[in-house]
Amino acid sequence: MVAVDNATGNLLFRSFSSEDETLRRLAFSLSRSLADEEISDDLFDTLEDVLGDRALPAPAGRARRTDDLLVRLGLPLPKRRHQGKATLLLPEEAGRITNRFRRATSHLMQVVPHRVAMYPAEELRLLIALSDERPDPDRAVAHLRRFAFAILAVLDLMGDDA
């Protein structure tokens, strides 16, 4: 037998509402709570690592083709800022980021149905495909960028407070 104080005993015998509006508010609150659990600042920091400072400059070949077109049309060439080389992504760091994105993918698969009005099937299909992909080391940066953009697309669908 367990001893229960009066306050706890009153909760046990309290009637609960079965109204649709109350149940919807409760379900909404629970889904928000579920979504807030694992979408951490660490994920956003990792997205910033991939899409922010690590962004490699555009290949020189594209600028030359554009320059050739401008010259043929008799237009002046645009002034370009000198971009230093971006830091290379080490294989260990690429693996760490990929694992972080895979964990985020599995969490998003559980949370997204509770946070959107229409199920984003195409966005989640792309996210799963990128999660399953195992790129060569020389294609890791491009893969991580695609993965990061796919995660951002799903987060955008979830709303501002995701």
Side-chain angles (χ1 to χ4, degrees):
M1 185 165 233
V2 177
V4 177
D5 64 355
N6 286 336
T8 306
N10 289 337
L11 287 176
L12 294 175
F13 297 109
R14 184 177 165 197
S15 63
F16 293 97
S17 175
S18 63
E19 295 177 19
D20 285 343
E21 181 181 341
T22 305
L23 294 175
R24 280 191 208 116
R25 274 191 276 152
L26 179 61
F28 179 76
S29 298
L30 289 173
S31 68
R32 292 285 179 193
S33 174
L34 173 69
D36 291 339
E37 283 179 9
E38 281 292 322
I39 300 173
S40 64
D41 291 336
D42 180 43
L43 175 61
F44 291 107
D45 291 341
T46 307
L47 289 169
E48 179 65 29
D49 285 346
V50 172
L51 299 174
D53 295 338
R54 293 196 186 285
L56 296 172
R62 287 188 186 184
R64 289 188 197 121
R65 279 187 249 148
T66 307
D67 290 349
D68 291 342
L69 178 64
L70 290 173
V71 169
R72 277 188 276 155
L73 294 173
L75 298 171
L77 295 175
K79 294 180 182 178
R80 293 189 178 91
R81 292 184 303 174
H82 174 69
Q83 290 181 327
K85 277 197 156 188
T87 57
L88 295 176
L89 193 62
L90 299 173
E92 298 83 23
E93 193 171 1
R96 180 188 61 80
I97 293 171
T98 302
N99 288 335
R100 175 68 184 110
F101 284 172
R102 286 185 183 133
R103 285 193 312 272
T105 298
S106 64
H107 178 70
L108 288 171
M109 293 300 296
Q110 296 171 2
V111 171
V112 167
H114 301 285
R115 295 291 306 269
V116 295
M118 286 187 58
Y119 191 77
E122 189 62 29
E123 288 84 357
L124 292 178
R125 184 200 59 75
L126 176 62
L127 199 58
I128 292 169
L130 289 169
S131 178
D132 292 340
E133 191 174 324
R134 304 289 190 254
D136 296 330
D138 59 333
R139 309 255 323 137
V141 173
H143 173 260
L144 288 174
R145 284 188 188 148
R146 287 192 313 271
F147 209 165
F149 280 121
I151 290 172
L152 283 176
V154 171
L155 290 174
D156 284 344
L157 290 173
M158 289 174 56
D160 290 337
D161 54 343

